[in-house]
Amino acid sequence: MIEVRDLTVAYQQKPVLWDIDLSIPDGVMAAIVGPNGAGKSTLLKALLAQVPIAAGKISLFGKAFKQVRQRIGYVPQRSSVDWDFPTSVLDVVMMGAYARLGWIRRPGKKERSEACVCLEKVGMLDFQKRQISELSGGQQQRVFLARALMQDAQLYLMDEPFQGVDAATERAIVGLLKDLKQGGKTLIVVHHDLQTVPEYFDWVLMLNVHVIAAGPVKEVFTSENLRKTYGGYISFLKEPA
Amino acid sequence: MINLSEFFSDYTLRNVSLGALILGFGSGALGCFALLRRQSLLGDAVSHAALPGIVLAFIISQSKLSLVLLAGAGIAGLVGTLFILGIIRSSKLDADSAQGIVLSVFFGLGLMLLTWVQKLPNASQSGLDRYLFGQAATIVESDLLTMAVVEGVALLTMLIFWKEFKLLSFDPGFGTAIGLPRKVLDIALTGLIVVAIVIGLSMVGVILMSAMLVAPAVAARQWTDKLGSMVALAAVFGALAGLAGSVVSASIANLPTGPVVVLILSAISAISLLFSPHRGLLSKILRRYRIQEKTT
């Protein structure tokens, strides 16, 4: 269970998230949607204690982030790193084990075979020796997912995992996320494509600096709430659920 | 050209070449992290910022002991770094501008202090200006030992925290999410880079020092796709250039060591950028040409 109370985050005096109240139940696959600048990524970063919060309280599994860090997996935006960094696919995936390993200890045989299992799950085992700059966007995203699987978490926070991936990769990723949900994990995903929200997710947070609506997709993903979230610019969308 | 056995039996030449070798090795290895973290200009800012530290250390202590002056350089370099981080955090300026500001302000301050000190009536201040371009020939055996120990500790620290430094350089967001103390590691890694810079100041000088950091890393990146081999290769390039530079400058009269080492490193980088097998300019052009052949 994720509980957020009166959360406010500001960059240089300008509020990015304002008075957020939210509780996300365990075991859901939740989408965060909203226009650009709505604070979607910032909310994820606040959950991960990566941005200073001006006010409010966040608890994950009833505890502060620092106490439950090991139970949380993270997939950052693909564009947030330099893909020309001199390292291999397998190396990146093994970074998911760094927290378990603790200081100084290097990943060994055990981590290597675990990483291969994770790569197999995302269909990238054949690419394990590749240099990461040789990957396509979809492949990069799969590598990031494999690294998150390597974290073996209970709660996964993902920042736009479908950004710039091809249709086949999108289907593969959705399948993987649904498997995780079946396994009792909770997923919170920043998502851009409103059309696919009802198909992929069972819970949704509609965000535009404030919380516009939050709850099961069937109840809150209505055209009225979409209009409130995005303003008048959603006429292209067919009537949602 | 003098012959090599003669070369190494000469006390000064042996010191100079060993010093340049140690310096090139350490700054080559640590420079890789500066390059990959896009902090190349940071090296430039830190080395320029060290100048006022050197002069102030002399004014306060009235000593020209290199350890004292380099301590001053190190402190000023770190203060400069903190200024840069502070400016980035508290203003809308980006890293490049912040580094530019600190570089020019500190260097200007250093030159001003240097000019003032040199006009003082006592003669003991002469020779401070060797920190501008470096002067390898003044290196003695005790300096070598200091350099070797300090570089050794810095490189050992890099190896011990290899995995943490690697993750922080590749994906700092993920690193903080899994609990790495980003600020502490940032300061530690930057501190190591500052150490590598300060060690080289008496040989290469504040103006050229950043080339010792960046050029071997740029060259090494061209030949490998692994961080480990990149760091090793950069260290070897740096050491070779140091050795070759001191041999060349010793065999031709009035050729200063520091600038020659930097020129050799630049040549290695240029060759690597042009001719390396996968990433080189030539192979890229050839590949494009072959694709055109196939498609027409």
Side-chain angles (χ1 to χ4, degrees), chain B residues 70-129:
Chain B
L70 290 184
I75 292 168
L78 279 177
V79 170
T81 314
L82 293 179
F83 266 109
I84 292 169
L85 296 177
I87 291 172
I88 295 172
R89 217 166 282 150
S90 60
S91 75
K92 284 187 175 167
L93 294 176
D94 60 3
D96 284 357
S97 325
Q99 286 160 359
I101 291 168
V102 168
L103 184 153
S104 44
V105 169
F106 274 66
F107 188 58
L109 189 70
L111 280 182
M112 197 188 76
L113 286 171
L114 189 63
T115 319
W116 179 70
V117 163
Q118 281 174 327
K119 293 218 173 89
L120 290 179
N122 75 50
S124 68
Q125 78 283 2
S126 66
L128 275 188
D129 54 344

Side-chain angles (χ1 to χ4, degrees), chain A residues 9 26 30 46 58-59 61 67 99 107 113 129 138 140 151 161 166 185 190 194 213 221 233:
Chain A
V9 177
D26 285 339
I58 299 171
S59 75
F61 309 115
Q67 292 164 285
S113 63
K129 297 239 165 72
Q140 292 172 351
Q151 288 184 276
D166 54 281
K185 318 281 187 188
V190 173
L194 294 173
F221 198 65
Y233 302 106

Side-chain angles (χ1 to χ4, degrees), chain A residues 182-229:
Chain A
Q182 291 295 322
K185 318 281 187 188
T186 308
L187 296 103
I188 300 178
V189 180
V190 173
H191 191 56
H192 251 307
D193 182 8
L194 294 173
Q195 311 268 12
T196 53
V197 168
E199 187 191 332
Y200 294 171
F201 299 94
D202 56 0
W203 212 90
V204 66
L205 163 65
M206 301 166 86
L207 187 71
N208 192 349
V209 185
H210 306 264
V211 173
I212 308 295
V217 171
K218 284 196 180 106
E219 290 167 27
V220 303
F221 198 65
T222 60
S223 44
E224 200 201 333
N225 280 336
L226 278 169
R227 218 174 341 256
K228 278 193 209 155
T229 313

Side-chain angles (χ1 to χ4, degrees), chain B residues 24-78:
Chain B
F25 192 86
S27 53
L30 288 164
C32 291
F33 285 97
L35 181 78
L36 291 171
R37 282 155 52 89
R38 306 187 182 283
Q39 284 185 330
S40 312
L41 198 59
L42 182 80
D44 215 19
V46 168
S47 58
H48 281 77
L51 188 63
I54 292 170
V55 186
L56 276 175
F58 168 76
I59 293 173
I60 294 167
S61 70
Q62 290 296 317
S63 139
K64 273 197 301 188
L65 220 68
S66 64
L67 214 56
V68 173
L69 298 185
L70 290 184
I75 292 168
L78 279 177

Side-chain angles (χ1 to χ4, degrees), chain A residues 50 65 69 74 76 81-82 84-87 91 95 98-99 102-106 131-132 144 147 151, chain B residues 36 38 159 161-164 166-167 169-171 173-174 176-179 181 221 225-227 230 279:
Chain A
Q50 286 200 5
F65 170 74
R69 185 177 265 148
Y74 177 42
V81 306
D82 171 18
D84 198 31
F85 195 88
T87 192
D91 262 355
M95 288 175 184
Y98 280 13
W103 289 92
I104 300 168
R105 247 180 72 204
R106 304 279 173 90
Q131 213 277 321
I132 55 171
F144 262 13
R147 183 176 67 174
Q151 288 184 276
Chain B
L36 291 171
R38 306 187 182 283
L159 288 179
F161 297 107
W162 180 264
K163 144 174 142 279
E164 285 76 17
K166 177 178 176 178
L167 178 53
S169 306
F170 171 60
D171 192 348
F174 186 78
T176 26
I178 67 166
R221 180 67 188 95
D225 280 332
K226 274 191 179 150
L227 183 61
M230 176 182 170
R279 303 170 63 93

